[in-house]
C-alpha cells in the first residue's frame, strides 16, 4: 500500500515527522505539489493526504486506485465530495485540532488593539520613552476589556473556547448560535445578529463559510456597528467583504480590524486592507502552533489507522 502526502510542509514546517504513517504503508511525502503534478504523484496510491492541494473531479477520475483521502484540515472544500462518493472514496478531515490555538489568536489580536502592545514596542525602539518628559509615554488611548460586550458569531469548538476566555476577562458574552439558550454555559447570552452588530464592542467570527455567511460582514452591517467597535476574524476570509471593511476603517465607521484570514491567500498585493488604518493582519497562522500541528499529524495517523481497521472516523462523506 502507498500513501502520498501532497503538501506536507504546510503542516510539518520541516520540524515534525510523519513517522507514524510508515507503520501502515510506504509513504511518499512532498513539501508542495503544483496542480499539474497531482495526478502523476498520486498515481498508484491508495491513500492521499492533502491540506490545500485541490482534488477535483478531473483529478479523481484519473486515480482509479485511490480509496481514501485524508484532508489535513477541518474544512473539506478542497475535495470534490460528490465525485469521491461516486468512486467510493472515503474522505476524512481533522476536527478540533487547533481550537485553543485559534482562540488564543483572537485575544492576541484583541489585546494588541486595546493595549497597543506592538505600537508601543515600536515607539520605544524609536526612542520615544527615552525622551519622554514623564515617567510613562502615552500617545494613544488604552482600553479595559472588563465590562464590555463581546459578540461571538458561531459557537462551535473555537467559538466556545473564545467565550470561555472572554468571561475570564470580565467581558459580557453575546452569541449568535443554533444552540438553545438553556444549553449554553452560564454567562453566555443568545441573541440575534442585529443585536450583535448594533450593541457589541467586540465581534469575533467563528461560523463556517457557506452561501449564507459569505460576506456576512458587509457595508450595511458595518454601518450598524459602534464607531468604537473592534472586529476580529480568525474564521474564513470571505466571511467579510474586505473592501467594505477597509472603507469602514478609513471612514471611522469602526475602530479596528484584527484578522488572520483574507479572501485571497496569500494576500493579493492590491487588497485594500493591507494599507487600511487600524487594520492588523496575521498570515493565516492562528492554527499553526507547534502543539496544534503535532495534534493534526496525530489525528491524521489515527484516522488512517481507523480506516485500515475498517472503522473510519471523522468521515465527511
Amino acid at each position: 500500500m502507498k500513501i502520498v502526502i501532497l503538501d506536507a510542509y504546510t503542516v510539518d514546517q520541516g520540524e515534525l515527522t510523519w513517522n507514524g504513517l510508515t507503520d501502515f504503508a510506504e509513504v511518499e511525502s512532498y513539501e508542495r505539489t503544483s496542480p499539474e503534478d497531482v495526478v502523476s504523484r498520486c498515481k498508484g496510491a491508495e491513500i492521499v493526504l492533502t491540506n490545500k492541494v485541490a482534488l477535483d473531479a478531473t483529478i479523481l477520475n484519473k486515480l482509479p486506485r485511490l480509496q481514501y483521502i485524508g484532508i489535513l484540515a477541518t474544512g473539506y472544500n478542497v475535495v470534490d465530495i460528490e465525485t469521491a462518493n461516486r468512486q467510493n472514496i472515503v474522505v476524512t478531515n481533522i476536527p478540533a485540532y487547533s481550537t485553543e490555538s485559534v482562540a488564543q489568536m483572537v485575544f492576541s489580536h484583541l489585546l494588541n488593539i486595546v493595549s497597543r502592545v506592538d505600537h508601543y514596542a515600536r515607539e520605544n525602539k524609536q526612542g520615544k520613552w527615552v525622551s519622554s518628559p514623564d515617567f510613562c509615554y502615552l500617545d494613544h488611548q488604552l482600553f479595559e476589556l472588563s465590562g464590555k460586550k463581546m459578540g461571538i458569531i458561531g459557537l462551535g469548538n473555537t467559538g466556545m473556547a473564545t467565550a470561555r476566555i472572554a468571561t475570564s476577562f470580565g467581558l459580557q458574552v453575546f452569541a449568535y448560535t443554533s444552540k438553545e439558550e438553556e444549553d449554553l454555559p452560564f454567562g453566555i447570552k443568545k441573541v440575534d445578529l442585529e443585536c450583535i452588530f448594533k450593541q457589541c464592542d467586540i465581534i469575533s467570527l467563528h461560523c463556517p463559510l457557506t452561501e449564507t455567511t459569505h460576506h456576512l460582514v458587509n457595508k450595511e452591517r458595518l454601518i450598524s456597528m459602534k464607531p468604537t467597535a473592534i472586529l476580529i476574524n480568525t474564521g474564513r476570509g470571505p466571511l467579510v467583504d474586505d473592501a467594505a471593511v477597509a472603507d469602514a476603517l478609513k471612514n471611522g465607521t469602526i475602530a479596528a480590524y484584527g484578522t488572520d484570514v483574507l479572501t485571497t491567500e496569500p494576500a493579493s498585493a492590491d487588497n485594500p486592507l493591507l494599507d487600511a488604518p487600524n487594520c492588523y493582519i496575521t498570515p493565516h497562522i492562528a492554527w499553526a502552533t507547534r502543539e496544534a500541528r503535532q495534534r493534526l499529524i496525530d489525528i491524521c495517523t489515527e484516522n488512517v489507522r481507523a480506516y485500515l481497521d475498517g472503522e473510519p472516523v471523522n468521515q465527511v462523506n
Side-chain angles (χ1 to χ4, degrees), residues 252-288:
T253 305
I254 63 172
Y257 181 42
T259 185
D260 188 56
V261 288
L262 293 174
T263 298
T264 301
E265 296 175 345
S268 299
D270 61 352
N271 189 307
L273 288 171
L274 293 177
D275 60 2
N278 299 317
C279 183
Y280 306 90
I281 303 171
T282 47
H284 205 142
I285 56 170
W287 68 279

Side-chain angles (χ1 to χ4, degrees), residues 107-152:
F107 283 88
S108 296
H109 271 288
L110 184 54
L111 290 170
N112 178 57
I113 290 168
V114 299
S115 297
R116 298 277 182 169
V117 175
D118 180 65
H119 167 76
Y120 281 110
R122 290 174 183 272
E123 291 286 88
N124 278 345
K125 287 187 177 182
Q126 299 299 318
K128 295 296 180 69
W129 193 15
V130 171
S131 59
S132 172
D134 305 310
F135 77 95
C136 70
Y137 170 72
L138 188 67
D139 68 343
H140 278 75
Q141 285 188 333
L142 307 179
F143 300 94
E144 282 189 353
L145 293 178
S146 182
K148 292 187 170 57
K149 297 176 180 177
M150 183 172 193
I152 298 176

Side-chain angles (χ1 to χ4, degrees), residues 63-107:
L63 301 173
R65 292 194 62 181
L66 185 58
Q67 301 170 12
Y68 173 94
I69 298 170
I71 300 170
L72 303 173
T74 303
Y76 47 88
N77 58 309
V78 295
V79 174
D80 187 321
I81 297 296
E82 188 176 328
T83 301
N85 288 340
R86 281 201 304 269
Q87 296 181 196
N88 296 315
I89 299 171
V90 171
V91 183
T92 65
N93 72 341
I94 313 287
Y97 69 94
S98 61
T99 298
E100 300 301 329
S101 296
V102 176
Q104 176 177 298
M105 181 61 81
V106 171
F107 283 88

